């Protein structure tokens, strides 16, 4: 793999869904591949920024044009997070891919981290190549985690009796937003997320590269991953699964990189040029 | 209970709480809540989520109380009860 020069640019692009802030890492020579990054959200995004930026730089040095787009209501793009919906984010990532395909003349692949995997599943063409980093297997689990954080915060602040996850969920189902950890969550964002899970990849026709980290060399994937893999494989989905050494960078107290995931992804991307 | 190894629980505690080498010393009768300074209310949420994601299980509110986090063995039993169910 020859390492080429690359450049970084940041700009607002009109994606058709509106102006969105895009950060592009691109090789100075013509790109050989195009990749849209679909990040996790909330605190996991904050924790993941460094690992994603390092990897994006490495991918572009190896010939890939990588784009990170701030979806509606996030980062530097317009809109309030409280107004963000799942459908809007799916539309944004789909539009970012279409825009990048026009710009490069290449078929776009998606690289998704954590809950980004469920968004990428909805946004990408089902024959696209997907690279998933520690994909969230169940949107329901992510919602439950958010609701528990709110309960833990209430309990910690001692502001009266705490609500149960069921009560908080009922609030969302009535169409009312919930504030959790400084984020105002729109029911139209988190309820569709909760309905989605790894089973949604059952009809995937493109290359599906699924990578997870383990803190030490282990012989087999975690039970939840094993079940999901066998379910999808029985249904005829070809999955390239691998585990690499690494820390859970999306949740660690210290900001961690993802060197192992990055190198393994480069290996998978390298074969995409054919 | 045997379906859930103490190693798996130790690994999740080590990763989630950044315990490093201290995790290796944890046995079934090791006290967790009140004994590990890292295990505050937010960390309890993180550990629950990590267990759910690792084992593909879901805890209900009323299945979780302080006693579930009293010792490593209690946490292991909680997970085993979900897997067996």
């Amino acid at each position: 793999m020859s390492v080429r020069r690359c450049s970084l640019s940041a700009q607002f692009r009109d994606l058709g869904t509106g102006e969105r802030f895009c950060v592009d890492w691109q090789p100075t020579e013509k790109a050989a591949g195009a990749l849209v990054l679909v990040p996790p959200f909330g605190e996991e995004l904050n924790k993941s920024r460094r690992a994603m930026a390092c990897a994006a730089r490495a991918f572009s040095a190896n010939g890939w044009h990588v784009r990170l787009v701030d979806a509606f209501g996030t980062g530097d793009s317009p809109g309030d997070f409280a107004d963000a919906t799942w459908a809007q984010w799916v539309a944004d990532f789909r539009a970012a891919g279409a825009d990048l395909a026009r710009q490069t003349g290449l078929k776009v692949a998606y690289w998704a981290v954590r809950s980004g995997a469920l968004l990428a599943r909805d946004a990408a063409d089902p024959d696209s190549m997907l690279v998933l980093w520690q994909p969230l297997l169940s949107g329901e689990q992510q919602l439950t985690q958010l609701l528990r954080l709110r309960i833990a915060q209430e309990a910690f602040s001692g502001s009266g009796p705490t609500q149960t996850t069921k009560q908080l969920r009922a609030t969302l189902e009535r169409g009312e937003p919930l504030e959790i950890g400084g984020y105002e969550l729109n029911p139209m964002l988190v309820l569709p997320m909760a309905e989605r899970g790894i089973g949604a990849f059952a009809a995937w026709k493109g290359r599906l590269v699924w990578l997870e980290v383990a803190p030490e060399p282990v012989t087999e994937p975690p039970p939840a991953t094993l079940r999901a893999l066998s379910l999808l494989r029985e249904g005829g989905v070809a999955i390239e699964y691998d585990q690499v050494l690494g820390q859970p960078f999306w949740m660690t107290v210290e900001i961690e990189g993802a060197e192992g995931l990055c190198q393994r992804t480069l290996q998978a991307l390298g074969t995409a040029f054919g | 209970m045997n379906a859930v190894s103490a190693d798996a629980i130790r690994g999740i505690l080590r990763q989630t709480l950044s315990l490093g080498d201290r995790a290796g010393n944890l046995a079934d009768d090791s006290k967790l809540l009140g004994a590990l300074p890292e295990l505050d209310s937010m960390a309890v949420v993180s550990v629950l989520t990590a267990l759910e994601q690792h084992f593909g299980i879901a805890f209900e509110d009323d299945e979780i109380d302080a006693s579930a986090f009293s010792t490593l063995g209690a946490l292991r039993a909680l997970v085993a009860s979900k897997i067996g169910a």
Side-chain angles (χ1 to χ4, degrees), chain A residues 114 136-137 141-142 144-145 148-149 151-153 156 164-166 213-216 222-225 227 246-248 251-253, chain B residues 11-12 14-18 40-42 44-62 64 83:
Chain A
R114 300 287 297 149
L136 189 70
L137 304 187
Q141 279 180 347
Q142 178 100 343
T144 303
Q145 179 186 18
R148 284 198 192 124
L149 280 174
I151 293 169
Q153 281 164 355
F156 197 68
T164 64
T165 51
K166 282 199 173 67
V213 293
E216 46 204 274
T225 302
R227 275 203 297 280
Q247 296 301 316
M251 57 174 269
T252 47
V253 177
Chain B
I12 285 166
R14 177 193 290 122
Q15 274 198 302
T16 313
L17 306 177
S18 302
D40 61 15
S41 60
M42 296 297 166
V44 165
V45 174
S46 300
V47 171
L48 283 173
T49 305
L51 290 170
E52 287 180 332
Q53 295 187 352
H54 183 91
F55 291 102
I57 53 180
F59 299 114
E60 302 292 332
D61 285 357
D62 57 10
I64 306 156
I83 289 176

Side-chain angles (χ1 to χ4, degrees), chain A residues 17-39:
Chain A
T17 56
E19 293 237 308
R20 297 290 179 265
F21 188 72
C22 298
V23 177
D24 287 53
W25 291 262
Q26 48 191 117
T28 41
E29 297 163 33
K30 183 172 165 38
L35 203 53
V36 171
L37 167 55
V38 187

Side-chain angles (χ1 to χ4, degrees), chain B residues 26-36 39 69-73:
Chain B
L26 295 174
D28 267 343
D29 60 355
S30 297
K31 296 213 178 329
L32 303 180
L33 207 60
L36 294 176
L39 198 59
F69 279 83
S70 57
T71 62
L72 186 141

Side-chain angles (χ1 to χ4, degrees), chain A:
Chain A
M1 225 171 322
S2 66
V3 173
R4 290 168 246 184
R5 292 166 62 82
C6 55
S7 65
L8 174 68
S9 64
Q11 58 184 318
F12 285 95
R13 293 185 69 87
D14 184 359
L15 298 183
T17 56
E19 293 237 308
R20 297 290 179 265
F21 188 72
C22 298
V23 177
D24 287 53
W25 291 262
Q26 48 191 117
T28 41
E29 297 163 33
K30 183 172 165 38
L35 203 53
V36 171
L37 167 55
V38 187
F41 87 103
E43 197 49 25
E44 290 196 350
L45 170 56
N46 296 332
K47 298 276 189 189
S48 303
R49 279 197 187 280
R50 179 164 169 270
M52 295 190 308
C54 290
R57 208 155 41 233
F59 300 162
S60 67
N62 284 276
W64 287 77
H65 185 147
V66 185
R67 170 168 296 170
L68 170 64
V69 52
D70 286 346
F72 177 89
T74 69
D76 290 306
S77 283
D80 283 333
F81 184 78
D83 296 325
T85 64
W86 186 266
Q88 177 70 62
W89 282 5
V90 168
D92 281 352
F93 287 110
R94 182 190 295 272
D99 183 58
L100 186 57
R102 272 194 304 275
Q103 194 184 338
T104 59
L106 295 165
K107 173 128 183 93
V108 170
Y110 283 76
W111 161 36
V113 182
R114 300 287 297 149
S115 59
L118 302 179
L119 275 170
R121 149 68 182 73
D122 286 3
D125 292 333
D127 63 345
S128 320
M129 176 180 179
L130 281 188
V131 179
L132 311 180
W133 278 15
Q134 201 80 30
L136 189 70
L137 304 187
S138 153
E140 184 69 46
Q141 279 180 347
Q142 178 100 343
L143 177 57
T144 303
Q145 179 186 18
L146 289 168
L147 300 180
R148 284 198 192 124
L149 280 174
R150 156 107 177 202
I151 293 169
Q153 281 164 355
E154 284 178 348
F156 197 68
S157 65
S159 56
T162 58
Q163 301 184 74
T164 64
T165 51
K166 282 199 173 67
Q167 287 168 325
L168 291 172
R169 208 188 152 112
T171 304
L172 288 169
E173 278 161 4
R174 283 195 303 272
E176 296 166 29
L178 270 185
E179 200 208 303
I180 297 176
Y183 296 98
E184 188 161 308
L185 297 180
N186 187 328
M188 300 277 283
L189 176 64
V190 291
L191 291 179
M193 176 188 75
E195 286 168 12
R196 282 155 175 80
I198 202 76
F201 287 94
W204 204 257
K205 300 282 180 276
R207 262 185 91 186
L208 195 53
V209 179
W210 174 346
L211 304 176
E212 292 189 327
V213 293
E216 46 204 274
V218 286
T219 47
E220 63 173 28
T225 302
L226 272 181
R227 275 203 297 280
L229 282 173
S230 68
L231 199 72
L232 290 172
R233 282 173 175 159
E234 278 165 23
V237 183
I239 304 171
E240 301 165 50
Y241 175 86
D242 208 358
Q243 234 178 18
V244 297
L245 280 182
Q247 296 301 316
F249 59 86
W250 62 93
M251 57 174 269
T252 47
V253 177
E254 303 288 330
I255 298 298
E256 299 277 353
E259 187 54 29
L261 284 173
C262 179
Q263 290 306 323
R264 183 63 186 80
T265 303
L266 275 176
Q267 200 183 322
L269 291 176
T271 60
F273 293 153

